[in-house]
Structure formats: C-alpha cells, structure tokens
Amino acid sequence: MKLNRALITSATALALTFGFAAETFAQDVTWNVSLWGKRRAFTEHIEKLAELVDQKTDGGFKLNLAYGEALSKSRENLDGISIGAFEMAQFCASYHADKNPTLTVLELPFLGVPDLETQVALDKEVYSHPAVQEDLARWNAKLLMSSPMPQYNFVGKGDAPKSVSDFEGMRVRALGGVGKAMETIGAVPTTVTASETFQAIDSGTVRAASFAPHAHLAFKTVEAGSWWTTNLNPGTVNCPVVVNQDAYDALPDNYKEALDSSIDEAIDHYLATYKKVYDKWYPTLDEMKIEQVTFEKSEIDAFRAKAGKPLWDEWVKEMSAKGIPAQELLDMVQSKLN
C-alpha cells in the first residue's frame, strides 16, 4: 500500500495523537483530500466545497485537493482514511465491495433511478441508516456526501453489438452491480481502474467500458472507441465522499458548521455542472464518428428480467448471511423510487 502518512496535517496529527481540545485549532487547519484522475464534473462538488469552506472561515480552513492519486491509489482511499493518512477522500463502493458491503445496495442493477436529483436523495437516505454508518465506522470514516452519477453505458472498440446477445464472451470494464448484470448475459466483467481504461480499450485488453458520460470524456475512452450504447442502462456505481472521523471531531465548531452547511450548495453546483456535460457529450460523439447503438425495447426488457430482480434476491441472501439488514436496505431504496 503506497500511502503518504507524512501528509497528515500538523493540526490533525496533534489532535489524533494527544487529544487536544478542538479550540486549539481555531486557525489554519488544512485537510488533504485524496482524489484520482483530474478535475472533472465528478469532482466539482468537492471543488465547490473547498471554495465555500475557505470563504466561510476567512481562509482558516482549507481543503487541499490532491488529484492523480498523489496521496493514494483510488482503491486504497478508504484504507488511507482509516489510518488518518489524509482527512477526506472519494471512493467507489465497487472498488472494494467487501470493505463497504452496505453501500452496494445502491449499485444493484436496474433500480430505476430516474435522475441525479433522485440519486442524491436516495444516497442521503441510505447513508443515514445506522447499519451503513456502522459499516463505514469500521474504517473510521464518516459519510459526508454523495457523487451522484447517471446510468452507465458502454463505449467500445470494434464491431458494434446489434443485440444484447452480442455481448456474450466480450471482455468489458464493468464494476459492481453493472458488472454482475453484464455477467448474466455472458460478458466477462473486469475491474480496470478508471485511469487505466483508455489504455485497456486501446490495447484490446477489454473491448468496452461502462462509464457515465463525464467519465468517458474525462478518461478519453471515446478516443479509443468506435461505438456507444445509448440505452443499455444496466446501473451505476456509488462513490461517496468521506472524512476521517477523528479529524472531523477535532474541528472547532465553527469549522464543522462551515463544512456541514456547505454540502447542499456543493451538490447543487455538481448537478448544475453535470447538466452541461451533455452539451458537450453528443457533439463529441458526432465529432469522433462514434456509432450510437440503441437496442430494441424487447431486448432491454429481456435483459432486465434476467439481470434485475434475480440479482437483488441474490444480494439480499448474501448480505443477510453476513448479518447485514439487507432486505431492510433494499426496501428502503425501493420505497424511495416507487
């Protein structure tokens, strides 16, 4: 594990080590935030959060956003939070489902989330459940906010699929519930990281990759691909922003208030930013001469019947065996969507 423990801020390190009172750190608190890739729509709420916190504390509380896996590999961000190597991080539940099993309810296929606003409300509800908070507390992590993403679709290289059955035997980059859904139709899901995906498609390691549009743009998969599915919509991944619980507890009350009160505005900024992505997405597809593949309704309905509820039932059985209130979590999700 390549985690830079030296990057813990002096204020937080003292608080964690000696238990100093929060009032000691009324000025000049800096938190390191572990991110991957580069600044994009997916990180705009964190950018806005940093801006708002800085403004509200007159520069006394700053978030140092570290992109490009400068602090940690994306799959190790939760580990870094657990040991206090940095104070805030973004991660995706499907990167390590065994470490955050409760969150994977949000990655089940074909949940039917209609828009990002609904996803935000759904995430907030699930994140507040005691079982989910207990799950993340094992890593000394406090859930701060979601990174809502629309349904994934695939950019691929080579012959475009004309039916769902054409995915049989195809090696695809697909995580979490999306990966399991694709497996049911014979595809071979592979957990390639986001930053490695362009090279994986370009070299033929995988034939196609599932992302939300902003990530296809950010990680340049459209430059390696030749086709895109417009309506497969197998699901999405859940990528929360978390903070180290000890670091949060050590903040002065006014800094906590600055952080907590900025979340809703940061999310609103994210949603507004993401709407602009589509203004760029479709012209990019045309410019790159990407074939847009739209499946017949009968194909999609058959896919859903095979990869929807059976996988929900399997998830409930598996998680219940681990002592997780799985049916309760799934019922909560469905109640928000029906």
PDB file of all heavy atoms in Angstrom, residues 35-51 65-69 90 214-215 217-219 269 273 280:
ATOM      1  N   LEU A  35      -7.907  12.235  -4.274  1.00  0.00           N
ATOM      2  CA  LEU A  35      -8.738  12.040  -5.459  1.00  0.00           C
ATOM      3  C   LEU A  35      -7.921  11.340  -6.532  1.00  0.00           C
ATOM      4  O   LEU A  35      -6.714  11.190  -6.403  1.00  0.00           O
ATOM      5  CB  LEU A  35      -9.233  13.394  -5.972  1.00  0.00           C
ATOM      6  CG  LEU A  35      -9.974  14.276  -4.952  1.00  0.00           C
ATOM      7  CD1 LEU A  35     -10.169  15.681  -5.501  1.00  0.00           C
ATOM      8  CD2 LEU A  35     -11.318  13.653  -4.586  1.00  0.00           C
ATOM      9  N   TRP A  36      -8.571  10.937  -7.611  1.00  0.00           N
ATOM     10  CA  TRP A  36      -7.840  10.340  -8.721  1.00  0.00           C
ATOM     11  C   TRP A  36      -8.275  11.033 -10.015  1.00  0.00           C
ATOM     12  O   TRP A  36      -9.243  11.788 -10.043  1.00  0.00           O
ATOM     13  CB  TRP A  36      -8.074   8.835  -8.793  1.00  0.00           C
ATOM     14  CG  TRP A  36      -9.476   8.405  -9.101  1.00  0.00           C
ATOM     15  CD1 TRP A  36     -10.005   8.163 -10.339  1.00  0.00           C
ATOM     16  CD2 TRP A  36     -10.532   8.164  -8.162  1.00  0.00           C
ATOM     17  NE1 TRP A  36     -11.315   7.786 -10.232  1.00  0.00           N
ATOM     18  CE2 TRP A  36     -11.671   7.771  -8.898  1.00  0.00           C
ATOM     19  CE3 TRP A  36     -10.633   8.224  -6.769  1.00  0.00           C
ATOM     20  CZ2 TRP A  36     -12.883   7.455  -8.306  1.00  0.00           C
ATOM     21  CZ3 TRP A  36     -11.849   7.918  -6.170  1.00  0.00           C
ATOM     22  CH2 TRP A  36     -12.953   7.526  -6.922  1.00  0.00           C
ATOM     23  N   GLY A  37      -7.539  10.760 -11.075  1.00  0.00           N
ATOM     24  CA  GLY A  37      -7.851  11.425 -12.333  1.00  0.00           C
ATOM     25  C   GLY A  37      -7.521  12.905 -12.259  1.00  0.00           C
ATOM     26  O   GLY A  37      -6.592  13.319 -11.574  1.00  0.00           O
ATOM     27  N   LYS A  38      -8.327  13.697 -12.957  1.00  0.00           N
ATOM     28  CA  LYS A  38      -8.150  15.145 -12.934  1.00  0.00           C
ATOM     29  C   LYS A  38      -9.475  15.806 -12.586  1.00  0.00           C
ATOM     30  O   LYS A  38     -10.495  15.118 -12.440  1.00  0.00           O
ATOM     31  CB  LYS A  38      -7.645  15.638 -14.291  1.00  0.00           C
ATOM     32  CG  LYS A  38      -8.607  15.362 -15.438  1.00  0.00           C
ATOM     33  CD  LYS A  38      -8.032  15.836 -16.766  1.00  0.00           C
ATOM     34  CE  LYS A  38      -9.016  15.582 -17.913  1.00  0.00           C
ATOM     35  NZ  LYS A  38      -8.487  16.040 -19.213  1.00  0.00           N
ATOM     36  N   ARG A  39      -9.472  17.110 -12.427  1.00  0.00           N
ATOM     37  CA  ARG A  39     -10.711  17.822 -12.129  1.00  0.00           C
ATOM     38  C   ARG A  39     -11.707  17.593 -13.270  1.00  0.00           C
ATOM     39  O   ARG A  39     -11.367  17.717 -14.444  1.00  0.00           O
ATOM     40  CB  ARG A  39     -10.439  19.316 -11.959  1.00  0.00           C
ATOM     41  CG  ARG A  39     -11.686  20.114 -11.628  1.00  0.00           C
ATOM     42  CD  ARG A  39     -11.353  21.560 -11.306  1.00  0.00           C
ATOM     43  NE  ARG A  39     -12.563  22.320 -11.007  1.00  0.00           N
ATOM     44  CZ  ARG A  39     -12.574  23.582 -10.575  1.00  0.00           C
ATOM     45  NH1 ARG A  39     -11.426  24.227 -10.402  1.00  0.00           N
ATOM     46  NH2 ARG A  39     -13.727  24.187 -10.333  1.00  0.00           N
ATOM     47  N   ARG A  40     -12.940  17.241 -12.884  1.00  0.00           N
ATOM     48  CA  ARG A  40     -13.985  16.961 -13.861  1.00  0.00           C
ATOM     49  C   ARG A  40     -15.340  17.092 -13.173  1.00  0.00           C
ATOM     50  O   ARG A  40     -15.399  17.389 -11.981  1.00  0.00           O
ATOM     51  CB  ARG A  40     -13.801  15.557 -14.443  1.00  0.00           C
ATOM     52  CG  ARG A  40     -13.763  14.436 -13.405  1.00  0.00           C
ATOM     53  CD  ARG A  40     -13.050  13.209 -13.948  1.00  0.00           C
ATOM     54  NE  ARG A  40     -13.110  12.045 -13.067  1.00  0.00           N
ATOM     55  CZ  ARG A  40     -12.344  11.878 -12.003  1.00  0.00           C
ATOM     56  NH1 ARG A  40     -11.463  12.815 -11.657  1.00  0.00           N
ATOM     57  NH2 ARG A  40     -12.436  10.775 -11.282  1.00  0.00           N
ATOM     58  N   ALA A  41     -16.419  16.862 -13.907  1.00  0.00           N
ATOM     59  CA  ALA A  41     -17.758  17.008 -13.324  1.00  0.00           C
ATOM     60  C   ALA A  41     -17.905  16.164 -12.057  1.00  0.00           C
ATOM     61  O   ALA A  41     -18.549  16.583 -11.085  1.00  0.00           O
ATOM     62  CB  ALA A  41     -18.821  16.607 -14.348  1.00  0.00           C
ATOM     63  N   PHE A  42     -17.298  15.005 -12.048  1.00  0.00           N
ATOM     64  CA  PHE A  42     -17.372  14.069 -10.928  1.00  0.00           C
ATOM     65  C   PHE A  42     -16.786  14.631  -9.637  1.00  0.00           C
ATOM     66  O   PHE A  42     -17.090  14.160  -8.543  1.00  0.00           O
ATOM     67  CB  PHE A  42     -16.636  12.788 -11.342  1.00  0.00           C
ATOM     68  CG  PHE A  42     -16.607  11.696 -10.316  1.00  0.00           C
ATOM     69  CD1 PHE A  42     -17.769  11.086  -9.881  1.00  0.00           C
ATOM     70  CD2 PHE A  42     -15.395  11.245  -9.813  1.00  0.00           C
ATOM     71  CE1 PHE A  42     -17.743  10.049  -8.954  1.00  0.00           C
ATOM     72  CE2 PHE A  42     -15.346  10.215  -8.889  1.00  0.00           C
ATOM     73  CZ  PHE A  42     -16.521   9.618  -8.461  1.00  0.00           C
ATOM     74  N   THR A  43     -15.926  15.630  -9.748  1.00  0.00           N
ATOM     75  CA  THR A  43     -15.288  16.199  -8.556  1.00  0.00           C
ATOM     76  C   THR A  43     -15.711  17.644  -8.291  1.00  0.00           C
ATOM     77  O   THR A  43     -15.173  18.284  -7.382  1.00  0.00           O
ATOM     78  CB  THR A  43     -13.748  16.151  -8.686  1.00  0.00           C
ATOM     79  OG1 THR A  43     -13.338  16.943  -9.810  1.00  0.00           O
ATOM     80  CG2 THR A  43     -13.258  14.726  -8.865  1.00  0.00           C
ATOM     81  N   GLU A  44     -16.652  18.156  -9.067  1.00  0.00           N
ATOM     82  CA  GLU A  44     -16.993  19.566  -8.935  1.00  0.00           C
ATOM     83  C   GLU A  44     -17.621  19.911  -7.584  1.00  0.00           C
ATOM     84  O   GLU A  44     -17.477  21.038  -7.096  1.00  0.00           O
ATOM     85  CB  GLU A  44     -17.919  20.005 -10.066  1.00  0.00           C
ATOM     86  CG  GLU A  44     -17.182  20.421 -11.321  1.00  0.00           C
ATOM     87  CD  GLU A  44     -16.156  21.518 -11.065  1.00  0.00           C
ATOM     88  OE1 GLU A  44     -16.529  22.588 -10.549  1.00  0.00           O
ATOM     89  OE2 GLU A  44     -14.972  21.310 -11.376  1.00  0.00           O
ATOM     90  N   HIS A  45     -18.328  18.978  -6.966  1.00  0.00           N
ATOM     91  CA  HIS A  45     -18.892  19.283  -5.642  1.00  0.00           C
ATOM     92  C   HIS A  45     -17.801  19.423  -4.587  1.00  0.00           C
ATOM     93  O   HIS A  45     -17.940  20.203  -3.643  1.00  0.00           O
ATOM     94  CB  HIS A  45     -19.920  18.235  -5.227  1.00  0.00           C
ATOM     95  CG  HIS A  45     -19.456  16.816  -5.256  1.00  0.00           C
ATOM     96  ND1 HIS A  45     -18.467  16.354  -6.086  1.00  0.00           N
ATOM     97  CD2 HIS A  45     -19.856  15.729  -4.523  1.00  0.00           C
ATOM     98  CE1 HIS A  45     -18.284  15.059  -5.888  1.00  0.00           C
ATOM     99  NE2 HIS A  45     -19.103  14.665  -4.938  1.00  0.00           N
ATOM    100  N   ILE A  46     -16.701  18.690  -4.761  1.00  0.00           N
ATOM    101  CA  ILE A  46     -15.592  18.803  -3.824  1.00  0.00           C
ATOM    102  C   ILE A  46     -14.858  20.122  -4.052  1.00  0.00           C
ATOM    103  O   ILE A  46     -14.433  20.785  -3.096  1.00  0.00           O
ATOM    104  CB  ILE A  46     -14.638  17.602  -3.959  1.00  0.00           C
ATOM    105  CG1 ILE A  46     -15.417  16.287  -3.848  1.00  0.00           C
ATOM    106  CG2 ILE A  46     -13.558  17.651  -2.878  1.00  0.00           C
ATOM    107  CD1 ILE A  46     -14.587  15.049  -4.094  1.00  0.00           C
ATOM    108  N   GLU A  47     -14.717  20.502  -5.311  1.00  0.00           N
ATOM    109  CA  GLU A  47     -14.122  21.806  -5.620  1.00  0.00           C
ATOM    110  C   GLU A  47     -14.947  22.928  -4.994  1.00  0.00           C
ATOM    111  O   GLU A  47     -14.398  23.864  -4.393  1.00  0.00           O
ATOM    112  CB  GLU A  47     -14.046  22.004  -7.135  1.00  0.00           C
ATOM    113  CG  GLU A  47     -13.061  21.095  -7.860  1.00  0.00           C
ATOM    114  CD  GLU A  47     -11.626  21.591  -7.765  1.00  0.00           C
ATOM    115  OE1 GLU A  47     -11.405  22.708  -7.254  1.00  0.00           O
ATOM    116  OE2 GLU A  47     -10.724  20.844  -8.225  1.00  0.00           O
ATOM    117  N   LYS A  48     -16.263  22.827  -5.136  1.00  0.00           N
ATOM    118  CA  LYS A  48     -17.145  23.861  -4.582  1.00  0.00           C
ATOM    119  C   LYS A  48     -17.104  23.849  -3.064  1.00  0.00           C
ATOM    120  O   LYS A  48     -17.117  24.916  -2.421  1.00  0.00           O
ATOM    121  CB  LYS A  48     -18.575  23.628  -5.066  1.00  0.00           C
ATOM    122  CG  LYS A  48     -19.547  24.745  -4.698  1.00  0.00           C
ATOM    123  CD  LYS A  48     -19.174  26.051  -5.375  1.00  0.00           C
ATOM    124  CE  LYS A  48     -20.191  27.134  -5.117  1.00  0.00           C
ATOM    125  NZ  LYS A  48     -19.833  28.419  -5.782  1.00  0.00           N
ATOM    126  N   LEU A  49     -17.040  22.672  -2.469  1.00  0.00           N
ATOM    127  CA  LEU A  49     -16.953  22.553  -1.016  1.00  0.00           C
ATOM    128  C   LEU A  49     -15.708  23.255  -0.506  1.00  0.00           C
ATOM    129  O   LEU A  49     -15.761  24.001   0.488  1.00  0.00           O
ATOM    130  CB  LEU A  49     -16.932  21.071  -0.621  1.00  0.00           C
ATOM    131  CG  LEU A  49     -17.084  20.751   0.864  1.00  0.00           C
ATOM    132  CD1 LEU A  49     -18.507  21.033   1.333  1.00  0.00           C
ATOM    133  CD2 LEU A  49     -16.726  19.285   1.131  1.00  0.00           C
ATOM    134  N   ALA A  50     -14.585  23.043  -1.164  1.00  0.00           N
ATOM    135  CA  ALA A  50     -13.328  23.691  -0.763  1.00  0.00           C
ATOM    136  C   ALA A  50     -13.444  25.204  -0.848  1.00  0.00           C
ATOM    137  O   ALA A  50     -12.981  25.935   0.044  1.00  0.00           O
ATOM    138  CB  ALA A  50     -12.185  23.196  -1.650  1.00  0.00           C
ATOM    139  N   GLU A  51     -14.078  25.681  -1.909  1.00  0.00           N
ATOM    140  CA  GLU A  51     -14.259  27.124  -2.092  1.00  0.00           C
ATOM    141  C   GLU A  51     -15.130  27.719  -0.984  1.00  0.00           C
ATOM    142  O   GLU A  51     -14.792  28.756  -0.397  1.00  0.00           O
ATOM    143  CB  GLU A  51     -14.913  27.366  -3.450  1.00  0.00           C
ATOM    144  CG  GLU A  51     -15.271  28.807  -3.741  1.00  0.00           C
ATOM    145  CD  GLU A  51     -16.091  28.940  -5.012  1.00  0.00           C
ATOM    146  OE1 GLU A  51     -15.833  28.190  -5.976  1.00  0.00           O
ATOM    147  OE2 GLU A  51     -17.004  29.792  -5.036  1.00  0.00           O
ATOM    148  N   LEU A  65      -6.920  19.730  -2.426  1.00  0.00           N
ATOM    149  CA  LEU A  65      -7.388  18.675  -3.313  1.00  0.00           C
ATOM    150  C   LEU A  65      -6.222  18.089  -4.094  1.00  0.00           C
ATOM    151  O   LEU A  65      -5.589  18.782  -4.896  1.00  0.00           O
ATOM    152  CB  LEU A  65      -8.459  19.211  -4.267  1.00  0.00           C
ATOM    153  CG  LEU A  65      -9.629  19.973  -3.625  1.00  0.00           C
ATOM    154  CD1 LEU A  65     -10.718  20.239  -4.659  1.00  0.00           C
ATOM    155  CD2 LEU A  65     -10.188  19.243  -2.422  1.00  0.00           C
ATOM    156  N   ALA A  66      -5.938  16.818  -3.862  1.00  0.00           N
ATOM    157  CA  ALA A  66      -4.798  16.143  -4.487  1.00  0.00           C
ATOM    158  C   ALA A  66      -5.300  15.154  -5.531  1.00  0.00           C
ATOM    159  O   ALA A  66      -5.830  14.085  -5.195  1.00  0.00           O
ATOM    160  CB  ALA A  66      -3.958  15.434  -3.431  1.00  0.00           C
ATOM    161  N   TYR A  67      -5.157  15.514  -6.807  1.00  0.00           N
ATOM    162  CA  TYR A  67      -5.599  14.668  -7.913  1.00  0.00           C
ATOM    163  C   TYR A  67      -4.497  13.704  -8.344  1.00  0.00           C
ATOM    164  O   TYR A  67      -3.378  13.736  -7.846  1.00  0.00           O
ATOM    165  CB  TYR A  67      -6.013  15.550  -9.093  1.00  0.00           C
ATOM    166  CG  TYR A  67      -7.327  16.272  -8.906  1.00  0.00           C
ATOM    167  CD1 TYR A  67      -7.362  17.602  -8.486  1.00  0.00           C
ATOM    168  CD2 TYR A  67      -8.536  15.628  -9.161  1.00  0.00           C
ATOM    169  CE1 TYR A  67      -8.570  18.272  -8.329  1.00  0.00           C
ATOM    170  CE2 TYR A  67      -9.751  16.291  -9.002  1.00  0.00           C
ATOM    171  CZ  TYR A  67      -9.765  17.612  -8.592  1.00  0.00           C
ATOM    172  OH  TYR A  67     -10.954  18.277  -8.426  1.00  0.00           O
ATOM    173  N   GLY A  68      -4.881  12.828  -9.283  1.00  0.00           N
ATOM    174  CA  GLY A  68      -3.897  11.954  -9.902  1.00  0.00           C
ATOM    175  C   GLY A  68      -3.310  10.905  -8.982  1.00  0.00           C
ATOM    176  O   GLY A  68      -2.191  10.452  -9.190  1.00  0.00           O
ATOM    177  N   GLU A  69      -4.063  10.521  -7.952  1.00  0.00           N
ATOM    178  CA  GLU A  69      -3.580   9.523  -6.990  1.00  0.00           C
ATOM    179  C   GLU A  69      -2.292   9.965  -6.323  1.00  0.00           C
ATOM    180  O   GLU A  69      -1.423   9.154  -5.994  1.00  0.00           O
ATOM    181  CB  GLU A  69      -3.404   8.155  -7.661  1.00  0.00           C
ATOM    182  CG  GLU A  69      -4.704   7.573  -8.208  1.00  0.00           C
ATOM    183  CD  GLU A  69      -4.560   6.143  -8.717  1.00  0.00           C
ATOM    184  OE1 GLU A  69      -3.454   5.770  -9.149  1.00  0.00           O
ATOM    185  OE2 GLU A  69      -5.564   5.403  -8.682  1.00  0.00           O
ATOM    186  N   GLN A  90     -12.545  10.476  -1.814  1.00  0.00           N
ATOM    187  CA  GLN A  90     -13.650   9.980  -2.624  1.00  0.00           C
ATOM    188  C   GLN A  90     -13.300   8.543  -3.004  1.00  0.00           C
ATOM    189  O   GLN A  90     -12.136   8.238  -3.285  1.00  0.00           O
ATOM    190  CB  GLN A  90     -13.786  10.857  -3.871  1.00  0.00           C
ATOM    191  CG  GLN A  90     -15.016  10.664  -4.718  1.00  0.00           C
ATOM    192  CD  GLN A  90     -15.061  11.702  -5.849  1.00  0.00           C
ATOM    193  OE1 GLN A  90     -14.031  12.115  -6.381  1.00  0.00           O
ATOM    194  NE2 GLN A  90     -16.245  12.134  -6.214  1.00  0.00           N
ATOM    195  N   HIS A 214     -19.596  11.824 -18.315  1.00  0.00           N
ATOM    196  CA  HIS A 214     -18.495  12.701 -17.914  1.00  0.00           C
ATOM    197  C   HIS A 214     -17.178  11.939 -17.824  1.00  0.00           C
ATOM    198  O   HIS A 214     -16.124  12.467 -18.153  1.00  0.00           O
ATOM    199  CB  HIS A 214     -18.788  13.365 -16.560  1.00  0.00           C
ATOM    200  CG  HIS A 214     -18.632  12.456 -15.390  1.00  0.00           C
ATOM    201  ND1 HIS A 214     -19.662  11.690 -14.886  1.00  0.00           N
ATOM    202  CD2 HIS A 214     -17.553  12.157 -14.635  1.00  0.00           C
ATOM    203  CE1 HIS A 214     -19.220  10.976 -13.877  1.00  0.00           C
ATOM    204  NE2 HIS A 214     -17.947  11.232 -13.700  1.00  0.00           N
ATOM    205  N   ALA A 215     -17.251  10.681 -17.378  1.00  0.00           N
ATOM    206  CA  ALA A 215     -16.031   9.895 -17.230  1.00  0.00           C
ATOM    207  C   ALA A 215     -15.514   9.414 -18.583  1.00  0.00           C
ATOM    208  O   ALA A 215     -14.304   9.317 -18.799  1.00  0.00           O
ATOM    209  CB  ALA A 215     -16.271   8.710 -16.296  1.00  0.00           C
ATOM    210  N   LEU A 217     -15.644  11.150 -21.167  1.00  0.00           N
ATOM    211  CA  LEU A 217     -14.933  12.325 -21.654  1.00  0.00           C
ATOM    212  C   LEU A 217     -13.615  12.524 -20.913  1.00  0.00           C
ATOM    213  O   LEU A 217     -12.572  12.738 -21.522  1.00  0.00           O
ATOM    214  CB  LEU A 217     -15.808  13.574 -21.493  1.00  0.00           C
ATOM    215  CG  LEU A 217     -17.029  13.669 -22.412  1.00  0.00           C
ATOM    216  CD1 LEU A 217     -17.906  14.850 -21.987  1.00  0.00           C
ATOM    217  CD2 LEU A 217     -16.607  13.823 -23.866  1.00  0.00           C
ATOM    218  N   ALA A 218     -13.678  12.440 -19.583  1.00  0.00           N
ATOM    219  CA  ALA A 218     -12.504  12.722 -18.763  1.00  0.00           C
ATOM    220  C   ALA A 218     -11.381  11.720 -19.001  1.00  0.00           C
ATOM    221  O   ALA A 218     -10.202  12.087 -19.028  1.00  0.00           O
ATOM    222  CB  ALA A 218     -12.884  12.747 -17.287  1.00  0.00           C
ATOM    223  N   PHE A 219     -11.747  10.446 -19.168  1.00  0.00           N
ATOM    224  CA  PHE A 219     -10.729   9.415 -19.330  1.00  0.00           C
ATOM    225  C   PHE A 219     -10.500   9.037 -20.792  1.00  0.00           C
ATOM    226  O   PHE A 219      -9.832   8.056 -21.082  1.00  0.00           O
ATOM    227  CB  PHE A 219     -11.088   8.197 -18.485  1.00  0.00           C
ATOM    228  CG  PHE A 219     -11.054   8.486 -17.006  1.00  0.00           C
ATOM    229  CD1 PHE A 219     -12.241   8.637 -16.292  1.00  0.00           C
ATOM    230  CD2 PHE A 219      -9.859   8.674 -16.345  1.00  0.00           C
ATOM    231  CE1 PHE A 219     -12.223   8.945 -14.932  1.00  0.00           C
ATOM    232  CE2 PHE A 219      -9.820   8.973 -14.994  1.00  0.00           C
ATOM    233  CZ  PHE A 219     -11.006   9.117 -14.291  1.00  0.00           C
ATOM    234  N   HIS A 269     -24.243  22.691  -7.066  1.00  0.00           N
ATOM    235  CA  HIS A 269     -23.238  23.078  -8.060  1.00  0.00           C
ATOM    236  C   HIS A 269     -22.871  21.882  -8.940  1.00  0.00           C
ATOM    237  O   HIS A 269     -22.734  22.020 -10.169  1.00  0.00           O
ATOM    238  CB  HIS A 269     -21.999  23.624  -7.355  1.00  0.00           C
ATOM    239  CG  HIS A 269     -20.856  23.909  -8.266  1.00  0.00           C
ATOM    240  ND1 HIS A 269     -20.830  24.978  -9.137  1.00  0.00           N
ATOM    241  CD2 HIS A 269     -19.678  23.246  -8.455  1.00  0.00           C
ATOM    242  CE1 HIS A 269     -19.698  24.972  -9.821  1.00  0.00           C
ATOM    243  NE2 HIS A 269     -18.986  23.935  -9.423  1.00  0.00           N
ATOM    244  N   THR A 273     -23.405  21.617 -12.946  1.00  0.00           N
ATOM    245  CA  THR A 273     -22.243  21.334 -13.790  1.00  0.00           C
ATOM    246  C   THR A 273     -22.502  20.133 -14.683  1.00  0.00           C
ATOM    247  O   THR A 273     -22.158  20.133 -15.870  1.00  0.00           O
ATOM    248  CB  THR A 273     -20.996  21.075 -12.924  1.00  0.00           C
ATOM    249  OG1 THR A 273     -20.728  22.231 -12.133  1.00  0.00           O
ATOM    250  CG2 THR A 273     -19.787  20.755 -13.789  1.00  0.00           C
ATOM    251  N   LYS A 280     -21.782  18.870 -24.244  1.00  0.00           N
ATOM    252  CA  LYS A 280     -20.522  18.529 -24.894  1.00  0.00           C
ATOM    253  C   LYS A 280     -20.517  17.073 -25.388  1.00  0.00           C
ATOM    254  O   LYS A 280     -19.865  16.761 -26.384  1.00  0.00           O
ATOM    255  CB  LYS A 280     -19.368  18.732 -23.907  1.00  0.00           C
ATOM    256  CG  LYS A 280     -17.996  18.475 -24.494  1.00  0.00           C
ATOM    257  CD  LYS A 280     -16.889  18.754 -23.475  1.00  0.00           C
ATOM    258  CE  LYS A 280     -15.513  18.516 -24.074  1.00  0.00           C
ATOM    259  NZ  LYS A 280     -14.420  18.750 -23.093  1.00  0.00           N
TER     260      LYS A 280
END
